[in-house]
Amino acid sequence: MVSNEALYLHELEKRWFMVAGEGLVFLTLLVIGIYKTRQSFRKEFQLARQQKNFLLSITHEFKSPLAAVKLNLQTLQKRHLSKDQMEHVLSNAISETDRIDNLVENALMATRIEAKNLDMLLSEMDISACVNNVLTGIRSTTGSEVVIESNIEPDIFILGDILAISSLISNLVENAIKYSTSDTKINVTLATKRNNALLIVADNGIGISDNEKNEIFTKFYRVGNEETRRTKGTGLGLFIVKHIVDLHHGRVEVRDNEPKGTIFEISIPSLKSVI
Ligand code: ADP
């Protein structure tokens, strides 16, 4: 027969296990709760910081080209310039206005992406001609120290939105220029590969570390090193590029160039060439 004392001890042990078990469950839930709250605080904090950086940079981005346009106009007003000088001042003012235009375009597009309101007007378009047009525009505004080499296969057609595709190309090429030294060479290639239009933009610039390669497509994200901070930007360009590629059922890849720099590779399904 089991003594009363043994029964009592057994009961006590059972209760102890029960209390310890409940305590353990409670503690686990508490730890998970604290972890999740911390995680969401961190995300909120990061977003708030990125938004603050964005506001600072967009204000700066607007102010500096506006100041440059004003200065150019004041020069025209106050000085008697030769025809050549006048053309130089005017083309400076136009390229600064283009900068403001691109900035507004990117901000509008990012807002429409956020509102899930970025409809693509897809139609058969000649992406070869589009790349050539964008490059002509960029070459006309950059100095002769920036060399953009291009190898564009003619007559590649895709189902695309011409404005969105132009914005994608110009964001990639402008970045390649921005994150390189001024005497660098940029290579732009367009070719067909396995029923895809393949656009490659390669530079020999500052490069992107492996752990940043996935982050750069996030809204407002700018790599946090000194070289990037010295350049102008809002962290919207690649966010827009990624969305445009997705809406065209394409793919974007980023990898290191040799000996240094970055290669962006975009592939978008191509249509049969129209002769
Ligand atoms: P922005 O150029 O306005 O900062 P983007 O969204 O276009 O914003 O790019 C995000 C970040 O990715 C940049 O701030 C920069 O750090 C990095 N990046 C983009 N393109 C390149 C490039 N070709 N070479 C090196 N870094 C780049």
Side-chain angles (χ1 to χ4, degrees):
M1 247 204 54
V2 190
S3 71
N4 272 352
E5 194 182 344
L7 268 175
Y8 175 72
L9 281 177
H10 179 67
E11 189 60 27
L12 206 66
E13 198 179 358
K14 237 170 74 184
R15 284 204 181 174
W16 188 89
F17 273 118
M18 218 171 76
V19 171
E22 279 171 4
L24 202 68
V25 170
F26 178 71
L27 201 71
T28 314
L29 288 177
L30 192 72
V31 170
I32 294 175
I34 292 174
Y35 175 72
K36 291 270 176 208
T37 317
R38 231 177 87 100
Q39 229 183 8
S40 83
F41 261 123
R42 266 219 333 237
K43 263 195 188 149
E44 284 294 317
F45 181 70
Q46 202 180 6
L47 192 69
R49 203 183 53 196
Q50 283 175 343
Q51 277 172 342
K52 187 172 153 231
N53 285 347
F54 169 70
L55 272 181
L56 284 176
S57 60
I58 205 155
T59 315
H60 174 77
E61 287 281 288
F62 271 113
K63 276 192 87 131
S64 60
L66 276 175
V69 171
K70 190 172 170 187
L71 193 72
N72 281 304
L73 291 177
Q74 284 170 336
T75 311
L76 284 180
Q77 191 185 38
K78 285 185 192 153
R79 298 217 197 140
H80 292 287
L81 302 175
S82 68
K83 194 167 176 285
D84 280 356
Q85 286 171 322
M86 207 141 83
E87 263 169 25
H88 179 68
V89 172
L90 280 174
S91 87
N92 275 351
I94 290 171
S95 88
E96 294 298 335
T97 326
D98 281 341
R99 246 180 78 190
I100 303 175
D101 199 28
N102 284 341
L103 195 65
V104 174
E105 213 34 70
N106 269 359
L108 278 178
M109 214 173 251
T111 315
R112 284 169 60 203
I113 290 170
E114 277 297 277
K116 305 212 183 320
N117 188 20
L118 185 69
D119 295 328
M120 297 281 107
L121 285 175
L122 298 184
S123 61
E124 192 170 296
M125 62 165 278
D126 182 346
I127 188 170
S128 310
C130 185
V131 176
N132 280 323
N133 283 342
V134 173
L135 291 184
T136 307
I138 293 177
R139 281 187 183 117
S140 73
T141 55
T142 50
S144 56
E145 67 283 359
V146 178
V147 179
I148 306 176
E149 281 189 347
S150 55
N151 191 356
I152 311 299
E153 187 182 313
D155 301 323
I156 303 180
F157 285 78
I158 61 165
L159 197 58
D161 179 312
I162 195 157
L163 286 180
I165 295 291
S166 304
S167 158
L168 175 156
I169 301 162
S170 93
N171 268 309
L172 289 178
V173 179
E174 300 278 3
N175 273 353
I177 298 170
K178 200 158 69 170
Y179 299 109
S180 300
T181 47
S182 58
D183 55 351
T184 195
K185 217 189 272 172
I186 316 286
N187 275 288
V188 181
T189 312
L190 181 77
T192 32
K193 192 177 172 191
R194 284 190 228 107
N195 299 325
N196 282 307
L198 195 67
L199 172 73
I200 299 173
V201 180
D203 65 59
N204 295 117
I206 61 174
I208 302 173
S209 68
D210 282 344
N211 52 342
E212 307 271 13
K213 285 193 177 82
N214 283 329
E215 306 281 358
I216 51 174
F217 297 98
T218 313
K219 189 178 53 166
F220 304 143
Y221 191 87
R222 305 198 74 212
V223 173
N225 62 29
E226 259 315 300
E227 281 147 319
T228 299
R229 265 194 287 276
R230 264 188 271 126
T231 58
K232 294 160 188 147
T234 55
L236 287 179
L238 291 179
F239 168 70
I240 291 169
V241 165
K242 175 81 176 73
H243 269 78
I244 293 174
V245 170
D246 287 348
L247 290 168
H248 285 80
H249 311 289
R251 200 172 41 79
V252 54
E253 262 177 36
V254 50
R255 58 174 195 273
D256 293 336
N257 199 1
E258 290 294 330
K260 66 189 183 81
T262 312
I263 300 178
F264 280 90
E265 196 174 293
I266 306 283
S267 79
I268 293 176
S270 63
L271 297 174
K272 254 178 76 189
S273 298
V274 176
I275 314 282

